[in-house]
Amino acid sequence: MLQKVESIRTSPDHLQAHPHPGRISRTSPKTSTTTNASVQTRLNRRNNAKQAQAKKRDALVSATRVFGGVDGAPRIVAVIPLCPDVDTKAIVTSLADSLDVSADDCPQTGLWKMKSFYAALDACKVADYVVFALSTSVEVDAWGDTLLRTLQAQGLPDVVTLAASDPTIDPKSRPGILKSLLSFIQYFVPSLTRVFDMSASSDRLNALRALSEGKPADVRWREGRSWILCETANWEDGQMKVTGVVRGSSLSANRLVHLPNFGDFQIAKILNLGQILSAALPRHPKSGQTVTMDVEPTVLAEPDAEEADSLVSSNDPDDLANEQTWPTEEEMNGGGGLEQSSLPDAEIGTTPHRVKRIPKGMSAYQASWIVDESDDEDDEDPDAKLQGEEVEMEEVTEEVEEMQDMLMDEDIETERRVAFEDLDNEEEERQLNSWRNRQREEEDDLQFPDEIDTPQDIPARVRFQRYRGMRSFRTSPWDPFENLPRDYARIFQFEDFKRTERSVRRRAEQEIAVVEPGNRVTVILKDVPREAATTGLVMIFALLQHEHKTSVLNFTLQRNTEYDGTVRSKDPLLLCVGPRRLRVNPIYSQHTRGGGKGSNNVHKFERFLRHGLTSVATTYGPVIFGTQPCTFLRETSDLQAPQLVAMGSFLNPDTTRIIAKRIILTGHPFKVHKKTATVRYLFFNSDDVHYFKPIQLHTKHGRTGHIRESLGTHGYLKAHFDGPINQMDTVCMSLYKRVFPKFSNLWTGAPEIAAADADAMEE
């Protein structure tokens, strides 16, 4: 026994090395096993940081390379006055004087002074920097506030804010004024940190330093696109030559370009300028002048006949491809033996004539007062017509009066028929009230959404024959290709829009025959109107492939909080998206949170665009790639002072999105017995009850049911529900119909013909 005890005592190291036999000890991942491993990890982190820093530096150098060098592109600065008393010429002159540069040739009007609302928007689209000029004594008016909100929604590059110098302001109060102006402008541009005072020379130099140093901020909707601000524009024989510096991405001659207010055009060729700044050629070091060399213009790029985009924007539907009806024998025989008129057809441009039978010897003036029998035969009752025929036969038997045919001018009769008819006081008051009650209609629709009264003078099965019932709004089947209008045959549909966009951008990056940004070129456009070269601000934007095709456009938008007018579906608005401006009549629908669309892709139609809700606006228009911002404007009597209605962004061109207009027919539970009720006022005849019997009913308190039978002939019905209902409840039936938008038109700057007002008066 002693030997065994001693053997156990002689092995304490074994017990300490393996306190728990069979268990593997765990090593913490935070502790490094060796010193070399910790050093290697620290070196890897340092190397990754250096690589990221070098990558950022290379990106900054490549972005600013277009502005560097002797022949670098100039920076575009748009000076936008926001107050009526701001003199932009004085601001530009003051900035030039701080650099000891003469500004005597600075005109009063130019690219930097924009009195036009839309020209200011276009200037900010191509600008590298935007300078907002504020006044120290006059507040920003409604025009400036609307412009700021529109530019904020459109997307702004780097912004510099200046306060105009005013010698009448006390120098002690200027810091407080500048602080107030900074607080105002930060609401629209939160990244601003200061407002430069033009009365201080140091602030003028700092403002110029902010405009001339660094890299301009990128505007997201301009990524992957190229544009040119025109320096000179010449028009000759239908072709316009636009000279300028290519900016943004590379410019391809196979793609179309967009001229604001004029449309899309094809590129004939791209030339380089005849004068090239020879920055790369050897120069004398003591000479401070740049050596120039005159060379012949050469063609940089020409469109490929197979790869170039066409100007075809919509399909031409073939009506003969549809289902046809075989003509009858009478139609094939040329009208079924009808007597052909022996009178010759009227010549083109002349007034048409018609023949009137009058007594012989009567003049044309006297004949114009005779009313033909065909004019009043619809107004006479059958009994009076028969009596008149008997009297006429008696007169004919007594005396036969000699008659003759006379050609009558149609304009005399037309003038008598379409003469202005003054409305009576009641009708005039009715139309006036209908025009003024749009706000009341919106409030009623908000309180009783989609509810209408069942008409009594026309059967409901006839009035609502285009509507259908749906058991579930999200899951009930609805074929998106049934009963489509003819306009759907004109538009294009994408099988996979996201995949198409990726392939278009990839092909644009891989294209070889392109002009890189930073080159000063002359772009020759085909079939351009002469007016395009005479506008004050000429710019062209390159379009991506397929962006000229017409499809269904869906935009997510929210109403402007400062606009308090009524916005109804199909009201005429002005859509500004990317470089385009379109006249649209959008229809609005609900936007499902998270982008969900259910299994049937059905979305509820909205009659009004409301505050605080995100809606989807749908219209026909040219295809758009990317999440481009959009603004909806409403034109006023002043063409250059529109109202900002809503702003948002492009969603998708989904042609299978079903916008369903809902109407709710309501009835009153006349008698109630537990789950069964006798309902009236839902319909007014028994045939309508049988026609709408398969459609499910619901109540405002959440009960669902169905029609069992019709009672009597006045539209009473017996309905059964899933639970007891209250007699104070309301029985409802929901019906749905698909609605479609209207085609958009290019905005050309001319005022729109006020045809929508007449339609609104008749609603």
Side-chain angles (χ1 to χ4, degrees):
M1 290 294 296
L2 291 175
Q3 293 178 356
K4 291 182 179 180
V5 171
E6 291 176 354
S7 62
I8 295 175
R9 289 179 178 177
T10 56
S11 58
D13 297 337
H14 176 76
L15 292 177
Q16 292 179 2
H18 302 281
H20 302 286
R23 181 178 298 180
I24 300 175
S25 59
R26 177 178 178 273
T27 304
S28 176
K30 295 183 179 180
T31 60
S32 59
T33 57
T34 59
T35 307
N36 293 333
S38 61
V39 172
Q40 186 69 23
T41 303
R42 188 162 52 250
L43 291 176
N44 290 340
R45 290 198 304 267
R46 187 179 302 171
N47 189 25
N48 291 336
K50 287 183 178 180
Q51 291 178 356
Q53 185 179 8
K55 187 176 180 180
K56 291 182 179 180
R57 186 183 296 108
D58 293 340
L60 179 62
V61 170
S62 62
T64 55
R65 185 178 295 128
V66 67
F67 304 109
V70 179
D71 55 348
R75 297 173 185 255
I76 303 176
V77 181
V79 181
I80 308 297
L82 299 179
C83 301
D85 65 332
V86 174
D87 186 4
T88 49
K89 181 178 180 180
I91 291 179
V92 175
T93 304
S94 179
L95 292 175
D97 292 341
S98 61
L99 295 177
D100 296 333
V101 177
S102 176
D104 297 335
D105 57 346
C106 181
Q108 181 63 30
T109 59
L111 299 182
W112 44 269
K113 181 181 177 65
M114 293 298 165
K115 292 183 179 179
S116 172
F117 185 89
Y118 301 105
L121 295 181
D122 290 339
C124 294
K125 290 177 184 178
V126 299
D128 299 318
Y129 296 92
V130 175
V131 174
F132 287 137
L134 298 174
S135 174
T136 56
S137 57
V138 179
E139 296 182 353
V140 178
D141 55 359
W143 184 89
D145 183 80
T146 303
L147 180 61
L148 273 175
R149 294 179 184 275
T150 307
L151 291 175
Q152 182 187 23
Q154 173 181 283
L156 284 169
D158 284 343
V159 176
V160 175
T161 306
L162 306 178
S165 59
D166 189 357
T168 60
I169 300 297
D170 186 10
K172 295 182 179 179
S173 61
R174 294 193 70 88
I177 295 175
L178 295 177
K179 186 177 181 180
S180 177
L181 293 178
L182 178 61
S183 176
F184 167 77
I185 202 64
Q186 278 182 341
Y187 178 80
F188 302 98
V189 189
S191 59
L192 284 181
T193 57
R194 64 178 300 183
V195 175
F196 296 100
D197 188 5
M198 294 301 297
S199 60
S201 59
S202 59
D203 279 8
R204 293 197 297 268
L205 290 175
N206 290 333
L208 288 172
R209 188 175 292 109
L211 296 175
S212 58
E213 294 181 355
K215 170 184 171 296
D218 295 329
V219 182
R220 184 164 185 178
W221 69 268
R222 297 191 308 197
E223 294 180 357
R225 302 174 183 273
S226 60
W227 66 93
I228 295 177
L229 176 62
C230 177
E231 300 174 0
T232 59
N234 299 320
W235 186 92
E236 183 180 357
D237 296 335
Q239 293 185 343
M240 187 172 74
K241 298 181 180 180
V242 178
T243 302
V245 179
V246 179
R247 300 174 185 270
S249 183
S250 57
L251 178 63
S252 173
N254 294 327
R255 303 284 84 87
L256 301 178
V257 295
H258 179 77
L259 275 173
N261 305 342
F262 291 97
D264 302 338
F265 301 96
Q266 290 178 321
I267 296 178
K269 60 181 66 176
I270 303 176
L271 307 175
N272 68 335
L273 289 181
Q275 190 178 38
I276 300 178
L277 296 177
S278 57
L281 297 179
R283 295 174 297 174
H284 299 285
K286 296 183 179 180
S287 176
Q289 297 180 354
T290 304
V291 180
T292 61
M293 180 177 58
D294 293 337
V295 297
E296 291 294 332
T298 58
V299 178
L300 296 180
E302 282 185 328
D304 188 359
E306 298 180 357
E307 298 292 336
D309 294 340
S310 66
L311 291 175
V312 178
S313 61
S314 60
N315 291 320
D316 188 8
D318 186 7
D319 295 333
L320 297 179
N322 298 332
E323 192 174 328
Q324 299 294 319
T325 303
W326 191 259
T328 61
E329 293 183 1
E330 295 182 355
E331 294 175 347
M332 295 178 65
N333 293 332
L338 296 178
E339 296 181 359
Q340 299 294 333
S341 176
S342 59
L343 295 177
D345 296 336
E347 296 181 1
I348 300 177
T350 60
T351 303
H353 299 279
R354 70 186 187 93
V355 179
K356 178 179 289 188
R357 193 165 185 80
I358 61 173
K360 188 175 182 180
M362 184 174 292
S363 63
Y365 176 76
Q366 293 173 338
S368 63
W369 291 93
I370 296 179
V371 180
D372 288 346
E373 296 177 0
S374 59
D375 294 341
D376 295 337
E377 62 181 1
D378 296 336
D379 299 335
E380 297 177 357
D381 55 327
D383 297 336
K385 185 176 181 180
L386 291 175
Q387 294 178 3
E389 291 180 356
E390 295 176 357
V391 174
E392 184 180 356
M393 291 299 294
E394 294 177 358
E395 294 178 354
V396 170
T397 55
E398 294 178 359
E399 180 181 1
V400 179
E401 187 176 6
E402 187 176 0
M403 306 293 287
Q404 67 176 2
D405 294 338
M406 177 176 291
L407 295 177
M408 302 297 299
D409 289 340
E410 194 69 21
D411 55 353
I412 299 177
E413 298 294 330
T414 306
E415 183 180 358
R416 180 173 62 87
R417 292 177 183 174
V418 301
F420 176 73
E421 181 182 357
D422 194 5
L423 300 177
D424 54 4
N425 295 333
E426 295 181 358
E427 181 66 17
E428 188 70 27
E429 185 178 359
R430 185 193 67 82
Q431 294 190 9
L432 183 61
N433 292 334
S434 175
W435 174 253
R436 291 180 175 177
N437 288 344
R438 288 173 62 96
Q439 186 71 25
R440 189 181 305 170
E441 291 176 7
E442 184 178 6
E443 295 175 358
D444 293 343
D445 185 72
L446 182 62
Q447 187 175 2
F448 305 102
D450 305 324
E451 292 187 15
I452 64 172
D453 297 330
T454 306
Q456 302 184 29
D457 55 345
I458 181 173
R461 63 185 182 278
V462 178
R463 172 63 180 84
F464 308 120
Q465 60 184 349
R466 298 180 59 187
Y467 289 82
R468 68 178 68 187
M470 298 179 65
R471 185 175 184 87
S472 174
F473 189 77
R474 295 298 178 191
T475 60
S476 294
W478 192 324
D479 186 7
F481 300 104
E482 64 172 326
N483 298 329
L484 294 177
R486 191 175 185 273
D487 292 340
Y488 254 61
R490 299 171 52 190
I491 64 176
F492 290 86
Q493 179 185 3
F494 293 92
E495 183 178 354
D496 190 341
F497 179 72
K498 293 295 184 182
R499 183 179 61 187
T500 304
E501 181 181 358
R502 289 194 297 267
S503 62
V504 166
R505 293 186 181 275
R506 182 173 61 254
R507 285 195 298 268
E509 294 176 356
Q510 297 175 355
E511 194 168 0
I512 300 176
V514 295
V515 179
E516 296 298 331
N519 294 323
R520 183 174 281 101
V521 297
T522 298
V523 181
I524 302 177
L525 306 180
K526 300 179 184 178
D527 302 329
V528 181
R530 183 186 293 269
E531 295 78 9
T534 59
T535 55
L537 186 63
V538 179
M539 60 189 69
I540 60 175
F541 295 88
L543 301 178
L544 297 177
Q545 191 178 10
H546 307 311
E547 280 196 329
H548 186 66
K549 307 299 183 183
T550 302
S551 184
V552 177
L553 305 182
N554 299 311
F555 301 88
T556 57
L557 72 161
Q558 286 186 338
R559 279 195 57 169
N560 179 21
T561 56
E562 300 298 324
Y563 182 75
D564 55 357
T566 302
V567 185
R568 177 183 286 179
S569 287
K570 295 189 178 181
D571 278 354
L573 296 175
L574 182 61
L575 170 62
C576 302
V577 53
R580 303 183 190 269
R581 278 191 289 269
L582 305 172
R583 293 188 188 274
V584 296
N585 298 85
I587 58 176
Y588 307 110
S589 58
Q590 286 184 347
H591 178 58
T592 307
R593 180 178 298 178
K597 56 183 180 180
S599 60
N600 53 6
N601 198 14
V602 178
H603 304 266
K604 181 180 171 297
F605 169 79
E606 292 289 342
R607 288 178 172 83
F608 297 91
L609 183 63
R610 307 189 186 281
H611 283 286
L613 297 177
T614 301
S615 302
V616 176
T618 304
T619 184
Y620 294 127
V623 176
I624 302 170
F625 287 123
T627 308
Q628 296 197 14
C630 66
T631 56
F632 287 83
L633 306 174
R634 172 166 284 176
E635 296 182 272
T636 60
S637 57
D638 186 0
L639 189 62
Q640 297 300 329
Q643 295 175 328
L644 179 60
V645 175
M647 67 284 290
S649 60
F650 176 67
L651 181 61
N652 55 37
D654 188 5
T655 57
T656 61
R657 179 185 177 94
I658 299 175
I659 302 177
K661 179 181 179 181
R662 183 183 70 174
I663 61 171
I664 300 178
L665 305 180
T666 59
H668 171 60
F670 180 55
K671 294 181 181 180
V672 176
H673 179 68
K674 296 183 179 179
K675 299 182 181 181
T676 305
T678 300
V679 183
R680 63 177 180 178
Y681 303 150
L682 188 62
F683 302 106
F684 293 99
N685 59 76
S686 58
D687 294 338
D688 289 342
V689 177
H690 291 292
Y691 183 83
F692 291 98
K693 187 176 180 179
I695 300 179
Q696 188 179 33
L697 300 176
H698 65 277
T699 67
K700 291 188 175 182
H701 289 176
R703 299 298 182 186
T704 59
H706 60 276
I707 299 175
R708 277 193 171 181
E709 59 179 344
S710 174
L711 303 176
T713 60
H714 292 76
Y716 285 57
L717 57 94
K718 182 182 291 186
H720 184 76
F721 296 89
D722 60 350
I725 69 171
N726 189 358
Q727 197 165 5
M728 301 300 294
D729 204 349
T730 302
V731 180
C732 305
M733 176 183 288
S734 298
L735 302 176
Y736 301 91
K737 179 187 71 171
R738 186 176 182 180
V739 294
F740 300 92
K742 295 183 179 181
F743 271 88
S744 60
N745 298 318
L746 179 67
W747 186 83
T748 59
E752 184 182 13
I753 300 176
D757 297 342
D759 298 338
M761 291 289 289
E762 297 297 334
E763 291 180 355

